[in-house]
Amino acid sequence: MEFNTKTIHGGQSPDKAYGSVMPPIYQTSTYSQTTPGGHKGYEYSRTHNPTRNALENSFASIENGNYGLAFGSGLAAIDAVIKLLKPGDEVISTNDLYGGTYRLFTKVFENFNVKFHFVRMEDVNLIESHINNRTKLIWVETPTNPMLNIIDIKAISKISKQNNILFAVDNTFATPYLQRPLDLGADIVMHSATKYLGGHSDVVMGALVVNDETLAKQLYFIQNASGAVCGPQDSFLVLRGIKTLHVRMQRHCENGRSVANFLLNHPKVERVYWPGLKSHPNHSVALQQMNDFGGMLSFTSKGNNFDAAIKVVEKLKIFTLAESLGGVESLAGHPASMTHASIPKEVREKTGVVDSLIRLSVGIEDIDDLIADLKQALDD
Ligand SMILES: *Cc1c(COP(=O)(O)O)cnc(C)c1O
């Protein structure tokens, strides 16, 4: 089955009771038994729920994996992965990381004596110097947020296999439409399904997909034991979202390209960060591992003025000033005053998060309206 068919049919079959094409929303916590243990495979909805299972099968299918798991949020999914570890274990992670992931690693799991090394992974050679016999996990985000750096998944998979280290990729920004980390050698792929998989900014959810049966069993155990599962209504919404993932992503990519080119030629714009541009420092890696380049991009303005950047995001009318990304509607954010406000200026500027940086999640509206909106906000 090809990808564009998997988004609609992957892991799905009509409901056995009445043949409904979409799985019913099994809004139930428990299931009747004829005799103790005499049930139809479902006992309690933290452990199993038919609507959630339909979604988990879809997750596995679109990521070319054997096992899918759904969680109450992206961070709950990451939390489950780190719970595979023990005190004293070490993790090597991308340095330009989603802020919530960084917070979970440093403010929660460091208290349990798990040690994290944050490494600039665009240079994969920097990873090996941090590996020792306690290194149990390499955590990669690519493209990164908000700088859109690209990290070579295949090269890291080689290092992880040589050293017998688990390798996980946060595939939220790319989605399996653009890049499939398991095919490139990762052991675990993770999503904030809140973003492109759900696609409509109406649900918070997380996903994991793996190939290995033993690893899947450990993660299912943690999913049930820790209990950060999602409900059947949200499972239904994300399953519905995934059915249009390929058509939405196609348009996100087209609009992303047009916006990147518009910004590149705008006299006030200094730099545009979009992995599809030849000028992007990791463009060649992006070409190798991605099918297209997506709708996420960031840009800076000449003069690097904090107040001028705030004015631009305030003046946008179709782009909504908001956190999050990956929905059908276009969003804009100002990392220095929003997502990265708590990081000292000197520290954030080292990774490129300067005062004038604006991040866009380019939606699937008419491209002429999007460009006119950016034009009126930037001109003036
Ligand atoms: C949003 C996001 C997360 C966290 O997911 P939630 O669903 O908000 O918990 C993790 N990684 C990336 C790249 C994200 O964009």
Side-chain angles (χ1 to χ4, degrees):
M1 213 186 271
E2 296 297 324
F3 183 79
N4 296 349
T5 311
K6 283 185 172 180
T7 58
I8 298 166
H9 298 289
Q12 308 303 305
S13 49
D15 174 57
K16 286 192 189 75
Y18 299 106
S20 73
V21 169
M22 279 301 280
I25 300 167
Y26 282 95
Q27 193 74 48
T28 187
S29 61
T30 189
Y31 307 82
S32 72
Q33 308 190 7
T34 49
T35 180
H39 54 74
K40 297 177 173 168
Y42 294 90
E43 292 166 277
Y44 187 62
S45 280
R46 174 167 24 77
T47 319
H48 296 292
N49 175 280
T51 319
R52 193 177 92 217
N53 285 3
L55 173 67
E56 290 176 327
N57 292 340
S58 172
F59 284 154
S61 172
I62 59 176
E63 282 289 1
N64 270 352
N66 293 329
Y67 305 94
L69 299 95
F71 293 85
S73 71
L75 286 175
I78 301 172
D79 178 270
V81 173
I82 306 301
K83 283 176 177 161
L84 294 166
L85 307 180
K86 292 190 173 64
D89 287 349
E90 297 191 8
V91 180
I92 303 174
S93 164
T94 312
N95 65 341
D96 183 27
L97 197 62
Y98 176 76
T101 309
Y102 181 79
R103 182 176 57 197
L104 177 67
F105 288 175
T106 57
K107 296 276 171 28
V108 177
F109 281 108
E110 279 189 354
N111 288 339
F112 293 87
N113 200 25
V114 178
K115 191 169 173 193
F116 295 86
H117 302 274
F118 297 96
V119 176
R120 204 178 67 79
M121 292 188 177
E122 295 89 89
D123 183 355
V124 291
N125 297 320
L126 296 177
I127 295 174
E128 273 173 314
S129 63
H130 294 277
I131 294 178
N132 60 46
N133 57 8
R134 300 182 150 190
T135 312
K136 293 289 153 59
L137 174 69
I138 300 178
W139 184 271
V140 166
E141 208 178 292
T142 181
T144 66
N145 174 35
M147 297 315 298
L148 283 305
N149 292 318
I150 302 294
I151 293 161
D152 189 336
I153 297 175
K154 246 189 191 159
I156 294 185
S157 124
K158 228 166 130 189
I159 296 172
S160 75
K161 284 188 170 59
Q162 273 163 6
N163 294 280
N164 201 20
I165 301 168
L166 212 53
F167 173 28
V169 175
D170 181 338
N171 204 29
T172 301
F173 267 41
T175 83
Y177 177 83
L178 297 180
Q179 134 189 314
R180 289 188 280 280
L182 296 180
D183 291 352
L184 297 168
D187 301 302
I188 302 174
V189 56
M190 172 265 156
H191 279 275
S192 169
T194 313
K195 316 294 170 50
Y196 286 105
L197 299 190
H200 296 76
S201 307
D202 53 8
V203 61
V204 173
M205 189 184 289
L208 297 177
V209 180
V210 302
N211 273 324
D212 181 71
E213 189 185 355
T214 309
L215 181 58
K217 280 187 177 153
Q218 289 172 320
L219 288 167
Y220 283 125
F221 179 84
I222 293 167
Q223 182 194 38
N224 181 49
S226 288
V229 294
C230 54
Q233 178 91 35
D234 285 353
S235 300
F236 178 89
L237 284 173
V238 172
L239 194 57
R240 184 166 77 163
I242 289 172
K243 287 179 192 287
T244 56
L245 177 65
H246 52 295
V247 280
R248 286 186 284 109
M249 285 308 293
Q250 189 178 5
R251 185 61 63 84
H252 281 297
C253 292
E254 281 171 27
N255 284 358
R257 179 180 301 278
S258 299
V259 168
N261 284 325
F262 164 76
L263 291 170
L264 208 56
N265 293 310
H266 195 281
K268 285 193 179 160
V269 171
E270 172 104 53
R271 290 199 63 174
V272 180
Y273 299 92
W274 187 65
L277 294 173
K278 283 206 182 71
S279 57
H280 187 285
N282 322 117
H283 178 63
S284 61
V285 181
L287 270 176
Q288 265 173 45
Q289 70 187 20
M290 300 173 77
N291 300 319
D292 203 334
F293 307 103
M296 294 304 300
L297 60 88
S298 295
F299 68 98
T300 60
S301 295
K302 288 176 184 155
N304 192 30
N305 186 306
F306 186 93
D307 296 329
I310 300 264
K311 234 175 108 189
V312 170
V313 293
E314 282 176 355
K315 279 186 73 185
L316 288 166
K317 294 189 177 87
I318 293 179
F319 281 84
T320 305
L321 178 59
E323 312 266 355
S324 200
L325 62 113
V328 290
E329 60 286 290
S330 292
L331 303 179
H334 180 241
S337 65
M338 296 165 73
T339 45
H340 291 62
S342 60
I343 305 173
K345 187 175 152 92
E346 316 78 64
V347 178
R348 67 172 158 79
E349 292 206 327
K350 265 191 206 142
T351 61
V353 184
V354 298
D355 285 349
S356 72
L357 188 81
I358 291 173
R359 190 192 79 176
L360 301 177
S361 171
V362 180
I364 63 170
E365 300 95 334
D366 192 290
I367 188 62
D368 293 340
D369 287 330
L370 296 182
I371 288 185
D373 193 30
L374 287 164
K375 195 164 160 30
Q376 64 81 24
L378 280 164
D379 293 350
D380 181 50

